Amino acid sequence: MAEQNPTSPVRPAFQLELQDLDLVDNALATQNKETTPVHSLEIGTRPTPFGAGGPIRLASQASTPPRSVVGIGGKVAKPDYSEAKIVLAMVGLPARGKSYLSNKLMRYLQWLEYDVKVFNVGQLRRSRAKQKKEQSGVKEDHTASYFSHNNVEATRLRDALAEDSLEMLINWLKAGGNVGIHDATNSTRARRAKIEARVAKEKGIVVIFLESVCDDPAIIAANVALKVSSGDPDYKDTSPEDAKRDFIRRIKEYEAVYETITEPHLSYLRITNVGNQATACRIHGYLQSRIAFYLMNLHLKPRSIFFSRHGESQFNVEGKIGGDSPLSERGLRYASALPDLIKDNIGDAPLTVWTSTLQRTIQTGQHLSYTKLTWKSLDELDAGVCDGMTYEEIEQAYPEDFANRDEDKFNYRYRGGESYRDVVIRLEPVIMELERQDNILIIGHQAILRCLYAYFHNLPQADLPYIKIPLHTVIKLTPKAYGCDEERYTLPIGAVDTHRPKPKAPQPEVKAYSGREYYDGNA
């Protein structure tokens, strides 16, 4: 990877002044304007898209499931990630998207079954201040002066918090974790040198620095507005106007000492304006490259992602799984009604429709007047020898397999077919492309949409196969900084219920949440 020669510290290109409070007030509206991000790589050409939206427009070229998924039905073991030990140390000024990148990366890697945890120094600071107030009645002053480099005692306390958070992270990695994210400013060479020296003492653990740079006034102002309006305990008893003033002063205290990464020996990624530009230095190995590639595909442009299963199919009516059957009469009615439902919720905004290669999804999208792309990767979970059978027939023909699948549905692999884990692996290119795109409607299958839905809501693998994705319903997801908002629209067209609840367990409950957590349970 490319290296950079040391230069003098680079100050931020955009410094938010106190007189820019009007910009903060209007930030969220400004951010909603139609803008197309320009992607570039300082380390070479931008990665070729997997399918939709790029020169190679047919994602059905994706390879079929590897030979490892073919064989006798049984449980699939979780991949051994025990050797993966990474400290990912964030770098950047406040309101530059560090926590956004941290949480997005955590959800992505957890979906792929890596053990990932964010250690946020700000959460630790607030948690300890809360405990101190409860125990002694003393409330700490965490206004802008606390973050001044000239405040010697506060600087000592902040350094101690950062070091404590790093120790918690390292101990967690040694106990079995894979990627620990140190979410702090880490904005000076001295602080980064301390992190590097501490991690170097641990065998098998490496450190990568992830710098989030932002010089877009609208994005910075939107982040400031989000900070002071989202329930931050630092501003609990403060008016919105005073909170904005104080937070901008806090940013200026950090700007006074901020040093962008120029240390040529460090392993680092620099992401500018959340994906518009990316720089990588000394990135080695599979997991590090995977992290880099994911972060390069993110963007902040407001968009919605729509999920819909195909309309009711003939196999749905007959209780059969898999196959490539056409739509039923009610399924065809749903296909006819779908365009108006989508139009009502997206208006004249651009939209791309993705379907699988199976006829029931293609038929469902036939009346939609948008660009359509087919993905082989979106085909339904392969049921192997059980394809085209009813659950009753499967239970009779393969009683042991039927019981094993009910016991551990995520890991069970059909004979000659796939498990949910196999499906997650083949959907990774779809996730990458989804993060690159604007408004997308995916017309898919029950298992496929469960896997994608679990990614956006950060749901555990044990619950993933039991997420309820009913027929003739459109699910609208709106990605936010810290989660996803959700709306569901069900058309009044009857359909069979294909959902099979989790045996001897309550139905998993999904609570859409896009707020930020402010207290650290490890404090």
Side-chain angles (χ1 to χ4, degrees):
M1 294 292 182
E3 298 182 16
Q4 294 187 353
N5 294 323
T7 60
S8 58
V10 179
R11 301 298 180 191
F14 176 80
Q15 297 187 348
L16 199 65
E17 303 291 343
L18 291 177
Q19 60 263 35
D20 291 321
L21 292 176
D22 288 341
L23 182 61
V24 174
D25 290 329
N26 297 325
L28 294 176
T30 303
Q31 193 176 350
N32 283 333
K33 288 183 179 179
E34 291 292 332
T35 57
T36 302
V38 178
H39 297 275
S40 65
L41 281 174
E42 292 186 17
I43 58 173
T45 57
R46 189 162 186 261
T48 302
F50 284 98
I56 304 175
R57 299 187 64 82
L58 252 194
S60 58
Q61 296 172 0
S63 61
T64 55
R67 292 188 61 83
S68 61
V69 306
V70 179
I72 297 174
K75 294 181 182 178
V76 184
K78 178 181 176 179
D80 182 6
Y81 295 138
S82 59
E83 296 301 314
K85 303 287 181 184
I86 295 176
V87 174
L88 189 73
M90 303 301 297
V91 176
L93 292 167
R96 262 56 173 190
K98 297 186 304 300
S99 293
Y100 171 80
L101 292 177
S102 297
N103 284 278
K104 286 287 289 186
L105 182 61
M106 178 185 69
R107 290 199 297 271
Y108 165 69
L109 292 176
Q110 285 181 340
W111 184 72
L112 292 173
E113 295 189 273
Y114 288 95
D115 199 359
V116 187
K117 189 172 182 180
V118 174
F119 292 78
N120 184 285
V121 175
Q123 288 181 350
L124 183 63
R125 170 179 60 80
R126 282 181 283 263
S127 295
R128 290 188 174 175
K130 181 182 179 183
Q131 290 176 357
K132 181 177 180 180
K133 183 179 179 182
E134 291 172 349
Q135 293 169 2
S136 65
V138 177
K139 181 181 179 181
E140 293 187 354
D141 179 9
H142 289 169
T143 55
S145 60
Y146 177 85
F147 301 91
S148 171
H149 189 67
N150 296 323
N151 187 333
V152 177
E153 177 60 16
T155 299
R156 183 189 68 79
L157 292 172
R158 289 187 288 112
D159 285 345
L161 282 167
E163 291 170 7
D164 287 353
S165 180
L166 182 60
E167 288 300 321
M168 294 176 187
L169 187 159
I170 290 172
N171 289 333
W172 176 81
L173 286 177
K174 291 163 72 173
N178 299 130
V179 179
I181 301 175
H182 193 244
D183 189 1
T185 55
N186 297 323
S187 54
T188 64
R189 288 176 179 167
R191 173 71 70 82
R192 295 191 289 270
K194 286 182 180 179
I195 294 173
E196 184 185 15
R198 175 63 188 90
V199 175
K201 296 178 181 179
E202 302 294 338
K203 183 179 179 181
I205 301 180
V206 298
V207 60
I208 303 173
F209 292 92
L210 172 56
E211 183 174 18
S212 182
V213 177
C214 182
D215 57 11
D216 186 327
I219 295 177
I220 298 172
N223 287 340
V224 173
L226 177 64
K227 173 78 172 179
V228 301
S229 65
S230 59
D232 189 334
D234 289 347
Y235 300 115
K236 180 180 178 184
D237 301 316
T238 308
S239 71
E241 193 68 21
D242 289 341
K244 283 185 285 189
R245 291 180 182 278
D246 184 79
F247 190 63
I248 290 172
R249 290 191 186 100
R250 182 191 301 188
I251 293 173
K252 293 182 70 63
E253 295 292 354
Y254 277 104
E255 287 175 343
V257 296
Y258 181 75
E259 297 170 307
T260 191
I261 297 179
T262 57
E263 302 94 312
H265 65 286
L266 293 183
S267 294
Y268 70 86
L269 295 161
R270 179 181 294 117
I271 305 297
T272 303
N273 294 329
V274 192
N276 279 11
Q277 189 177 57
T279 304
C281 181
R282 298 186 181 276
I283 299 301
H284 306 288
Y286 178 68
L287 180 55
Q288 293 184 30
S289 299
R290 199 174 209 171
I291 289 170
F293 191 71
Y294 175 75
L295 293 170
M296 290 173 187
N297 280 282
L298 297 179
H299 71 83
L300 281 177
K301 188 175 179 181
R303 44 78 176 264
S304 292
I305 297 166
F306 298 86
F307 292 158
S308 173
R309 287 177 67 186
H310 53 78
E312 181 188 71
S313 71
Q314 293 289 355
F315 266 26
N316 290 150
V317 175
E318 297 167 15
K320 297 177 180 179
I321 66 172
D324 191 16
S325 68
L327 297 183
S328 69
E329 185 274 331
R330 292 188 297 190
L332 291 170
R333 284 168 51 203
Y334 176 71
S336 297
L338 187 58
D340 286 341
L341 176 61
I342 296 300
K343 188 75 173 177
D344 288 345
N345 285 281
I346 203 166
D348 296 324
L351 175 73
T352 303
V353 179
W354 295 355
T355 71
S356 73
T357 65
L358 301 176
Q359 64 172 325
R360 55 191 183 274
T361 64
I362 295 171
Q363 277 188 298
T364 303
Q366 63 185 317
H367 302 298
L368 292 164
S369 57
Y370 302 99
T371 299
K372 301 185 188 75
L373 301 172
T374 59
W375 287 74
K376 179 68 175 173
S377 295
L378 289 175
D379 284 2
E380 180 60 303
L381 185 151
D382 185 351
V385 297
C386 297
D387 190 71
M389 298 172 67
T390 67
Y391 284 112
E392 292 76 14
E393 289 169 343
I394 296 171
E395 185 174 18
Q396 183 175 2
Y398 308 105
E400 186 176 342
D401 292 48
F402 189 84
N404 287 339
R405 189 164 194 268
D406 268 351
E407 181 185 328
D408 190 355
K409 195 173 180 181
F410 181 77
N411 293 305
Y412 176 83
R413 178 182 285 161
Y414 279 110
R415 298 185 184 213
E418 292 179 295
S419 67
Y420 270 91
R421 173 175 277 128
D422 296 320
V423 172
V424 165
I425 292 170
R426 72 165 153 99
L427 284 176
E428 186 183 7
V430 177
I431 289 296
M432 287 288 189
E433 193 62 25
L434 267 177
E435 291 293 0
R436 292 164 50 95
Q437 296 295 321
D438 297 330
N439 299 313
I440 296 290
L441 165 61
I442 297 180
I443 301 175
H445 307 270
Q446 183 168 239
I448 301 302
L449 296 184
R450 281 170 169 165
C451 293
L452 297 176
Y453 184 92
Y455 163 78
F456 283 102
H457 279 308
N458 197 30
L459 299 177
Q461 278 80 10
D463 290 344
L464 185 156
Y466 301 101
I467 299 168
K468 192 157 191 174
I469 310 285
L471 290 166
H472 299 177
T473 298
V474 172
I475 300 172
K476 178 183 179 182
L477 299 180
T478 305
K480 301 288 186 179
Y482 299 100
C484 238
D485 289 343
E486 177 182 325
E487 300 170 71
R488 293 196 178 205
Y489 309 97
T490 300
L491 288 174
I493 299 171
V496 297
D497 184 1
T498 62
H499 181 76
R500 298 180 71 241
K502 192 172 185 178
K504 303 176 183 177
Q507 169 68 24
E509 185 177 359
V510 179
K511 294 182 179 178
Y513 179 70
S514 56
R516 181 173 185 172
E517 294 182 3
Y518 284 103
Y519 293 110
D520 188 339
N522 294 318

